[in-house]
Amino acid sequence: MTCLLMGRLKNADYEKLSNKDKVRLGTLVNNTLTLTHLVNEKIG
C-alpha cells in the first residue's frame, strides 16, 4: 500500500505537496537512511 501512495509522488513538486505527503516522504527518506546504516554496520 505504501508503495502505491509513494509512487504518485514521483516527479512531484515538493512545494505543492500536502503536509501529510511531506511527512510520508520524509519518513521514507529517514527509513531508507536508517536501513542503509544498519546494512553497512552488519557488513562492516
Side-chain angles (χ1 to χ4, degrees):
M1 176 99 166
T2 300
C3 290
L4 294 174
L5 291 171
M6 300 311 288
R8 68 181 177 80
L9 297 179
K10 184 178 180 180
N11 298 321
D13 183 353
Y14 185 81
E15 294 296 321
K16 295 180 181 176
L17 294 178
S18 68
N19 285 336
K20 190 173 186 177
D21 283 338
K22 287 179 182 180
V23 169
R24 285 180 176 151
L25 192 56
T27 300
L28 177 64
V29 170
N30 288 339
N31 289 346
T32 302
L33 291 172
T34 300
L35 179 60
T36 301
H37 175 76
L38 291 172
V39 168
N40 286 331
E41 189 176 281
K42 295 289 182 184
I43 292 173

